[in-house]
Amino acid sequence: MGYPPEMKGNVNGMSARYLPNNYPSRLDPRYGGQNFSIHGAPPVYHSQPPQVGYLPGQYAQAPYTPMHSDRPRPQAFSSPIPPKPSGFAVVIPSPISSHPQSQRVPSLPNPPRQPLQSSQRVAPSTAVQSTPVTPAHAVPQPPFIDYRLLLLSLADEYIAAARSQGPLASIEHDTKLQQCYKLLAAGLRCMEILIKQFKLQPQLEASVRLRYASILHDETQNMIEAEQTLSDGIKLCDRYRLFDLKYNMQHLLSRVLFDGSPRASLKFLDRVIEDAEAYGHSAWVYAFRFLKSSLFLRTSSHQDILSAHAQLKNISALADTLGDKAIHALSSTLEALIYLRESSSVESLEQAQRALATARSLQFDPKVGIISQIVVLTNIVDLCCSLQHFDPSQAVSKMQAMQTSLETQNDAWQADGSLLVPVHSQTASRSPNGSGIVRGDISGSLLVNFSWTPQNDIYALGYMLSSLAIAHRNTSDGLRSEQMLKEGLRCLATWKAAREQLQEFDKAASPYAKEPELLDILAQYLHGVIEQGTAPPFPDQEQQNARFRVQHNPGYTP
């Protein structure tokens, strides 16, 4: 292969195969003045709009069509080098400044692009994802079972079944009683497994521990296990800052400790109250101080009664500072009731009347007056003061005020007798599930839950106090005092309620109808008593009674 003279030899120490600035111009007469392509270098394409048949993004790469030119090639390059694959471009070095500008190799023109045939199109770069084929004999996977939820459901069912069979088991023989114990033990065992063998969320674990300990406290005598469960739960709540569940556990733990060691329980409450005051949870401060006052009243020493008074005074002072008037009225009423219990002296009566005056002054607030339980309790304590002071005329007026409050009460009285007192301060933690000692209502305010007397029992107590208030004029009022007592007894045990309870008893005892004969005999006897009590009297019943008295008592005159 021959080279032009300009390309022979060594130029500046470089191999003289190809120097772009030494290469003759394409218009050189030696090559006929024709344009040509550099052998071994593919054509250089410049960006231009795509031609027909090619759309951007349709192919993995732009189609390449070799350049066809009818121009004669130089004679010196007899055997051309095959072109390199598409997409490769030779970078031509920049011209040397020592050579004239006319000797630079110009850029080649872009060849026309021609559309590809359908058979020449390149497949897209994105591959279609194939759907996996399931084998014909694939074994189906078993459904997922949440054993935590399963154990909770089983515990609920076992405990509900045990409590439903409690009254029936107490009447029947030991076999049914043992079955009730087994159901209760199965429910407790489910909770124990859930606590000790499963990793639960902190809030769920604390809730399960609280319920487990409450059932141990209410249904069993295993106070050691209840105390240990509550102690571990309190540590868990401290770690995750679950204040509401922690305070509920501490409230239950103080009651558990009081059954074994009253002094230890009272000291424990002192520390709990200090912590609640430090955090500013005023609603729980009220709850713990009310609990401590009630625990003091369970003892008979005079010092403990004075301590109960001190707790109620602290509650009244805190409620007056924070503006919780309902709590203040309730604590003042309970303080008057403790004065009546403590002594019947004139000084105790005066202190009780002073506390009642404070409670009545707070009832003018609309938020306190709507709580019917507090109004009724205030009137009952006021009537008791008049009866103990033995002022008949004043007692009658107080009796009428109490009866009016019982007749005009609203429907806010709970079926179980619980008393919900609103707390207007927003500094306490709130129960997440709307239950517990401190809970929240729909409006967003806090409520402190107290266990109190059901409505039916309050009516019976009202009838009894009314009978005592008018007992001094029983004969002149047409035995009205005795009628009050009869109405009170009817409130405690009505024939309608007795019939409903007996029907529920028959449904519960139907599977065991053939078991002991004593159960069937007692049921038949109760049916007879109810039918006899609800049967209408005969028209001539009084005449038959008078005839019977005359026959058996000759000296009797109707």
Side-chain angles (χ1 to χ4, degrees):
M1 179 184 301
Y3 294 94
E6 291 85 357
M7 299 181 61
K8 293 181 180 181
N10 189 358
V11 180
N12 296 330
M14 299 174 57
S15 176
R17 290 193 57 185
Y18 168 68
L19 290 177
N21 294 330
N22 294 334
Y23 202 65
S25 174
R26 61 179 180 176
L27 302 179
D28 194 291
R30 290 176 295 177
Y31 299 102
Q34 302 291 331
N35 195 1
F36 64 94
S37 299
I38 302 175
H39 290 280
V44 179
Y45 294 96
H46 298 278
S47 59
Q48 62 181 359
Q51 304 296 328
V52 179
Y54 169 72
L55 296 177
Q58 182 179 0
Y59 303 99
Q61 60 184 4
Y64 169 72
T65 304
M67 182 181 65
H68 301 280
S69 177
D70 52 353
R71 299 167 185 167
R73 297 184 180 274
Q75 298 296 329
F77 301 94
S78 59
S79 59
I81 301 175
K84 293 185 179 180
S86 173
F88 177 81
V90 175
V91 181
I92 301 176
S94 58
I96 303 175
S97 57
S98 59
H99 298 278
Q101 185 70 19
S102 60
Q103 295 183 1
R104 295 182 180 179
V105 179
S107 59
L108 300 179
N110 295 327
R113 299 188 182 184
Q114 299 180 2
L116 292 176
Q117 302 296 330
S118 60
S119 60
Q120 297 177 347
R121 292 182 178 178
V122 183
S125 59
T126 57
V128 179
Q129 297 180 357
S130 60
T131 305
V133 181
T134 305
H137 302 285
V139 180
Q141 296 294 332
F144 174 74
I145 300 176
D146 190 355
Y147 290 99
R148 300 173 180 85
L149 183 60
L150 178 61
L151 288 173
L152 283 176
S153 302
L154 288 176
D156 292 338
E157 292 182 3
Y158 282 134
I159 293 172
R163 288 178 172 174
S164 64
Q165 294 186 7
L168 184 63
S170 61
I171 300 175
E172 295 184 353
H173 49 79
D174 295 339
T175 304
K176 301 300 179 183
L177 193 60
Q178 292 297 327
Q179 182 179 2
C180 178
Y181 290 157
K182 288 181 180 179
L183 290 173
L184 187 62
L188 292 174
R189 181 57 179 167
C190 290
M191 291 187 181
E192 184 181 1
I193 293 175
L194 190 63
I195 293 173
K196 296 183 178 180
Q197 298 185 10
F198 284 89
K199 183 66 175 178
L200 303 176
Q201 294 182 357
Q203 186 173 354
L204 178 59
E205 182 180 352
S207 301
V208 174
R209 284 183 177 274
L210 178 60
R211 190 182 177 195
Y212 177 69
S214 63
I215 295 175
L216 287 176
H217 177 257
D218 297 337
E219 305 291 344
T220 68
Q221 297 180 354
N222 194 356
M223 298 297 104
I224 299 177
E225 180 68 21
E227 182 180 350
Q228 182 63 36
T229 303
L230 291 174
S231 299
D232 295 340
I234 291 172
K235 295 178 182 178
L236 177 67
C237 294
D238 279 334
R239 190 180 308 119
Y240 293 97
R241 301 181 64 83
L242 302 174
F243 290 109
D244 183 79
L245 291 172
K246 171 188 173 182
Y247 289 143
N248 279 281
M249 290 183 183
Q250 289 174 338
H251 197 280
L252 179 59
L253 181 58
S254 61
R255 288 178 283 159
V256 172
L257 292 175
F258 190 84
D259 295 336
S261 178
R263 295 303 171 187
S265 175
L266 296 174
K267 291 181 180 179
F268 174 74
L269 277 176
D270 290 335
R271 297 194 301 268
V272 172
I273 292 173
E274 291 178 0
D275 293 341
E277 289 176 345
Y279 282 107
H281 297 161
S282 57
W284 282 105
V285 174
Y286 296 146
F288 286 123
R289 287 196 180 276
F290 274 117
L291 174 62
K292 190 175 181 181
S293 176
S294 64
L295 293 179
F296 276 128
L297 293 177
R298 291 175 63 176
T299 60
S300 58
S301 64
H302 179 70
Q303 185 65 31
D304 291 339
I305 294 177
L306 295 179
S307 300
H309 278 296
Q311 294 297 323
L312 293 176
K313 288 182 181 298
N314 291 332
I315 292 173
S316 299
L318 180 61
D320 190 18
T321 303
L322 299 178
D324 297 326
K325 296 182 179 181
I327 293 290
H328 192 182
L330 180 60
S331 62
S332 299
T333 306
L334 293 179
E335 187 178 354
L337 186 60
I338 295 175
Y339 279 124
L340 291 178
R341 176 187 173 180
E342 182 181 0
S343 174
S344 59
S345 61
V346 178
E347 183 182 358
S348 298
L349 288 176
E350 291 179 355
Q351 291 176 346
Q353 291 289 345
R354 193 179 298 111
L356 284 176
T358 303
R360 288 191 179 279
S361 65
L362 294 170
Q363 290 179 6
F364 291 103
D365 189 280
K367 297 180 180 179
V368 182
I370 61 175
I371 307 176
S372 57
Q373 293 97 322
I374 297 180
V375 178
V376 170
L377 179 60
T378 305
N379 292 326
I380 288 176
V381 176
D382 197 6
L383 178 57
C384 291
C385 292
S386 299
L387 292 174
Q388 192 165 354
H389 187 61
F390 195 69
D391 188 353
S393 59
Q394 191 178 9
V396 172
S397 62
K398 298 294 180 61
M399 178 196 69
Q400 294 175 355
M402 181 196 66
Q403 291 176 355
T404 303
S405 63
L406 286 172
E407 293 173 358
T408 59
Q409 61 173 327
N410 52 22
D411 298 333
W413 205 298
Q414 302 292 326
D416 58 349
S418 59
L419 174 61
L420 299 177
V421 181
V423 180
H424 303 291
S425 56
Q426 299 295 328
T427 55
S429 61
R430 184 171 307 188
S431 179
N433 53 1
S435 61
I437 300 173
V438 176
R439 63 186 68 177
D441 60 354
I442 302 177
S443 61
S445 60
L446 294 178
L447 301 173
V448 182
N449 186 20
F450 294 88
S451 298
W452 204 41
T453 309
Q455 186 177 6
N456 217 19
D457 296 344
I458 289 295
Y459 274 110
L461 179 61
Y463 280 118
M464 187 193 70
L465 294 176
S466 300
S467 175
L468 293 176
I470 60 176
H472 63 282
R473 57 183 188 181
N474 182 34
T475 55
S476 61
D477 285 349
L479 305 179
R480 188 181 175 187
S481 178
E482 294 181 9
Q483 293 177 1
M484 291 288 184
L485 291 176
K486 291 180 180 179
E487 290 295 330
L489 293 175
R490 187 175 300 176
C491 289
L492 293 177
T494 60
W495 294 115
K496 181 180 179 181
R499 189 185 296 275
E500 293 176 355
Q501 292 295 329
L502 189 58
Q503 291 176 358
E504 293 182 2
F505 176 78
D506 291 337
K507 293 179 181 179
S510 58
Y512 315 103
K514 299 181 180 180
E515 290 278 336
E517 296 181 359
L518 178 61
L519 184 63
D520 187 35
I521 294 173
L522 290 175
Q524 294 296 331
Y525 176 76
L526 291 176
H527 277 291
V529 171
I530 293 174
E531 294 298 332
Q532 184 180 4
T534 56
F538 295 102
D540 56 346
Q541 184 68 34
E542 294 295 333
Q543 298 178 4
Q544 292 179 2
N545 292 338
R547 192 181 302 113
F548 179 80
R549 296 189 186 97
V550 170
Q551 291 177 359
H552 292 78
N553 299 307
Y556 176 78
T557 55

